[in-house]
Amino acid sequence: MRDLRQHREALALNTATLGHRSPIEEVIDRCAEAGFGAIAPWRRDLDGRRPADVAARLRDRGLVVTGYCRSTYFTHASESERRAAIDDNARALDEAAELGAVSFVLVVGGVPEGLRDITAARQQAIDGVGALLERARAAGVSLAIEPIHPMGAAARAVVNTLAQALDWCDVLDPERAGGLGVMVDAYHVWWDPALETGITRACRDGRVLGYHVSDWLRETRDLVTDRGMMGDGVIELRRIRGLLEDAGYTGPVEVEIFSATDWWVRPEREVLQTCMSRLLDVC
Ligand code: ZN
């Protein structure tokens, strides 16, 4: 396994971890000062800014962009809403390209209100991702399907295991022509008995576009915004990184913590320092 102390470029921060409290310019500066070499901004961070200006600051501070977060949901009750989502995601892809992002992170959407048909929702999501693929390839930004913990199947994403996400990749990109893969988020996949098989397959097929870390708190109070700091929960983070790296993964290890009542209310510098020390010590 890599010694992450020797790999600044692999130490990544997803800006959601700081709770979107400060302007992106300050976040970029603090992130670089804390020793990170990579960052994953959200669309809301760019609100009212030119992506080229943000990209210039990132370059200046020596930060690379891992993934741009995140897609509008592809799943909707009506055809016109589904088309609008694809258009919106196409605009986000252009922003991602201007930022120099490696990937555009896809949280595909849950079961649309009034539908009660997860099979149909899954097909909508596959069709939506497929509709973006050529544009992504042309933009030089890969589409990263993020499987979401099954508790999020209704409201957030109907792709729920690594194997399922990889099956979608095979359907949409049978030739493995590139531009499509998966985002492996430890928080969403740690519980899966087939995780090892999935990681081996994903790496073999060249599909792993990134790796997110946080921790699963034993007593979780909110399905989205109660993630733990690495080391405070039950996920075997060293083991999962070991599986990825044994299978050939050499990309970033990205901290992504949604924590409305804890880390989002602590001073940003404390959060960044803790993230860095836990990245190096427990991930
Ligand atoms: Zn994630």
Short mmCIF file of all heavy atoms in Angstrom, two decimals, residues 244-266:
data_model
loop_
_atom_site.label_atom_id
_atom_site.label_comp_id
_atom_site.label_asym_id
_atom_site.label_seq_id
_atom_site.Cartn_x
_atom_site.Cartn_y
_atom_site.Cartn_z
N LEU A 244 -8.23 -1.87 -3.04
CA LEU A 244 -8.14 -1.05 -4.24
C LEU A 244 -6.70 -1.02 -4.78
O LEU A 244 -6.47 -1.22 -5.98
CB LEU A 244 -8.58 0.39 -3.93
CG LEU A 244 -10.09 0.63 -3.86
CD1 LEU A 244 -10.39 1.92 -3.11
CD2 LEU A 244 -10.68 0.69 -5.28
N GLU A 245 -5.76 -0.78 -3.90
CA GLU A 245 -4.39 -0.63 -4.38
C GLU A 245 -3.79 -1.97 -4.80
O GLU A 245 -3.01 -2.02 -5.76
CB GLU A 245 -3.55 0.09 -3.32
CG GLU A 245 -4.05 1.52 -3.13
CD GLU A 245 -3.16 2.39 -2.26
OE1 GLU A 245 -2.06 1.95 -1.88
OE2 GLU A 245 -3.58 3.53 -1.97
N ASP A 246 -4.17 -3.04 -4.11
CA ASP A 246 -3.71 -4.37 -4.55
C ASP A 246 -4.22 -4.67 -5.95
O ASP A 246 -3.58 -5.39 -6.72
CB ASP A 246 -4.20 -5.47 -3.59
CG ASP A 246 -3.42 -5.47 -2.28
OD1 ASP A 246 -2.41 -4.74 -2.19
OD2 ASP A 246 -3.84 -6.18 -1.35
N ALA A 247 -5.39 -4.10 -6.27
CA ALA A 247 -5.97 -4.34 -7.60
C ALA A 247 -5.48 -3.32 -8.63
O ALA A 247 -5.91 -3.35 -9.78
CB ALA A 247 -7.49 -4.31 -7.51
N GLY A 248 -4.61 -2.41 -8.19
CA GLY A 248 -3.99 -1.51 -9.16
C GLY A 248 -4.39 -0.06 -9.08
O GLY A 248 -3.93 0.77 -9.88
N TYR A 249 -5.24 0.30 -8.12
CA TYR A 249 -5.70 1.70 -8.04
C TYR A 249 -4.57 2.60 -7.56
O TYR A 249 -3.90 2.31 -6.57
CB TYR A 249 -6.88 1.79 -7.06
CG TYR A 249 -7.41 3.20 -6.89
CD1 TYR A 249 -8.10 3.82 -7.92
CD2 TYR A 249 -7.21 3.91 -5.70
CE1 TYR A 249 -8.59 5.12 -7.77
CE2 TYR A 249 -7.70 5.20 -5.54
CZ TYR A 249 -8.39 5.79 -6.59
OH TYR A 249 -8.87 7.07 -6.44
N THR A 250 -4.36 3.70 -8.25
CA THR A 250 -3.30 4.64 -7.88
C THR A 250 -3.83 6.07 -7.74
O THR A 250 -3.06 7.03 -7.68
CB THR A 250 -2.16 4.65 -8.93
OG1 THR A 250 -2.74 5.01 -10.20
CG2 THR A 250 -1.48 3.31 -9.03
N GLY A 251 -5.15 6.22 -7.70
CA GLY A 251 -5.75 7.55 -7.68
C GLY A 251 -5.87 8.14 -6.28
O GLY A 251 -5.32 7.61 -5.31
N PRO A 252 -6.61 9.24 -6.19
CA PRO A 252 -6.72 9.95 -4.92
C PRO A 252 -7.56 9.24 -3.86
O PRO A 252 -8.40 8.40 -4.18
CB PRO A 252 -7.38 11.28 -5.31
CG PRO A 252 -8.05 11.02 -6.60
CD PRO A 252 -7.29 9.93 -7.29
N VAL A 253 -7.31 9.61 -2.61
CA VAL A 253 -8.14 9.21 -1.48
C VAL A 253 -8.79 10.49 -0.99
O VAL A 253 -8.12 11.39 -0.50
CB VAL A 253 -7.30 8.56 -0.36
CG1 VAL A 253 -8.19 8.10 0.79
CG2 VAL A 253 -6.49 7.39 -0.92
N GLU A 254 -10.11 10.58 -1.18
CA GLU A 254 -10.80 11.86 -1.02
C GLU A 254 -11.74 11.87 0.18
O GLU A 254 -12.64 11.04 0.27
CB GLU A 254 -11.59 12.14 -2.30
CG GLU A 254 -12.41 13.41 -2.28
CD GLU A 254 -13.09 13.62 -3.64
OE1 GLU A 254 -12.44 13.37 -4.69
OE2 GLU A 254 -14.27 13.99 -3.64
N VAL A 255 -11.50 12.83 1.07
CA VAL A 255 -12.38 12.94 2.25
C VAL A 255 -13.68 13.62 1.85
O VAL A 255 -13.67 14.72 1.27
CB VAL A 255 -11.70 13.78 3.35
CG1 VAL A 255 -12.60 13.84 4.59
CG2 VAL A 255 -10.33 13.24 3.70
N GLU A 256 -14.79 12.95 2.17
CA GLU A 256 -16.11 13.52 1.87
C GLU A 256 -17.02 13.25 3.07
O GLU A 256 -17.54 12.15 3.23
CB GLU A 256 -16.70 12.90 0.61
CG GLU A 256 -18.03 13.56 0.21
CD GLU A 256 -18.72 12.83 -0.93
OE1 GLU A 256 -18.81 11.58 -0.88
OE2 GLU A 256 -19.15 13.49 -1.87
N ILE A 257 -17.20 14.26 3.91
CA ILE A 257 -17.98 14.09 5.14
C ILE A 257 -19.15 15.07 5.17
O ILE A 257 -18.95 16.29 5.14
CB ILE A 257 -17.08 14.32 6.38
CG1 ILE A 257 -15.91 13.33 6.38
CG2 ILE A 257 -17.91 14.16 7.66
CD1 ILE A 257 -14.90 13.57 7.49
N PHE A 258 -20.36 14.53 5.20
CA PHE A 258 -21.55 15.35 5.40
C PHE A 258 -21.90 15.21 6.88
O PHE A 258 -22.22 14.11 7.34
CB PHE A 258 -22.72 14.83 4.55
CG PHE A 258 -22.43 14.78 3.07
CD1 PHE A 258 -21.82 13.67 2.51
CD2 PHE A 258 -22.79 15.84 2.24
CE1 PHE A 258 -21.56 13.61 1.15
CE2 PHE A 258 -22.54 15.78 0.88
CZ PHE A 258 -21.92 14.66 0.33
N SER A 259 -21.85 16.30 7.62
CA SER A 259 -21.98 16.19 9.06
C SER A 259 -22.59 17.46 9.63
O SER A 259 -21.90 18.33 10.15
CB SER A 259 -20.61 15.92 9.69
OG SER A 259 -20.68 15.97 11.09
N ALA A 260 -23.93 17.53 9.53
CA ALA A 260 -24.62 18.79 9.85
C ALA A 260 -24.44 19.24 11.29
O ALA A 260 -24.37 20.44 11.56
CB ALA A 260 -26.11 18.64 9.55
N THR A 261 -24.36 18.29 12.22
CA THR A 261 -24.35 18.71 13.63
C THR A 261 -22.98 18.60 14.28
O THR A 261 -22.83 18.88 15.47
CB THR A 261 -25.35 17.87 14.46
OG1 THR A 261 -24.99 16.49 14.33
CG2 THR A 261 -26.78 18.08 13.97
N ASP A 262 -21.98 18.17 13.53
CA ASP A 262 -20.65 18.04 14.15
C ASP A 262 -19.59 18.77 13.32
O ASP A 262 -19.26 19.93 13.59
CB ASP A 262 -20.32 16.55 14.31
CG ASP A 262 -19.05 16.33 15.13
OD1 ASP A 262 -18.38 17.31 15.49
OD2 ASP A 262 -18.70 15.15 15.39
N TRP A 263 -19.09 18.14 12.25
CA TRP A 263 -17.95 18.72 11.55
C TRP A 263 -18.30 20.00 10.81
O TRP A 263 -17.45 20.86 10.63
CB TRP A 263 -17.30 17.67 10.64
CG TRP A 263 -16.73 16.57 11.47
CD1 TRP A 263 -17.30 15.35 11.72
CD2 TRP A 263 -15.53 16.60 12.25
NE1 TRP A 263 -16.53 14.62 12.60
CE2 TRP A 263 -15.43 15.36 12.92
CE3 TRP A 263 -14.52 17.55 12.43
CZ2 TRP A 263 -14.36 15.05 13.78
CZ3 TRP A 263 -13.45 17.24 13.27
CH2 TRP A 263 -13.38 16.01 13.94
N TRP A 264 -19.54 20.15 10.40
CA TRP A 264 -19.92 21.39 9.69
C TRP A 264 -20.05 22.58 10.64
O TRP A 264 -20.21 23.71 10.18
CB TRP A 264 -21.24 21.20 8.93
CG TRP A 264 -21.09 20.38 7.69
CD1 TRP A 264 -19.93 19.89 7.15
CD2 TRP A 264 -22.14 19.93 6.83
NE1 TRP A 264 -20.21 19.16 6.02
CE2 TRP A 264 -21.56 19.17 5.80
CE3 TRP A 264 -23.54 20.08 6.85
CZ2 TRP A 264 -22.30 18.57 4.78
CZ3 TRP A 264 -24.29 19.49 5.84
CH2 TRP A 264 -23.67 18.74 4.82
N VAL A 265 -20.02 22.33 11.93
CA VAL A 265 -20.10 23.47 12.86
C VAL A 265 -18.77 23.69 13.58
O VAL A 265 -18.67 24.55 14.45
CB VAL A 265 -21.26 23.31 13.88
CG1 VAL A 265 -22.60 23.36 13.15
CG2 VAL A 265 -21.15 22.03 14.68
N ARG A 266 -17.76 22.94 13.21
CA ARG A 266 -16.42 23.18 13.80
C ARG A 266 -15.65 24.13 12.89
O ARG A 266 -15.92 24.25 11.70
CB ARG A 266 -15.65 21.86 13.91
CG ARG A 266 -16.33 20.84 14.80
CD ARG A 266 -15.29 19.83 15.26
NE ARG A 266 -15.91 18.59 15.72
CZ ARG A 266 -15.26 17.67 16.42
NH1 ARG A 266 -13.97 17.84 16.71
NH2 ARG A 266 -15.86 16.56 16.79
#
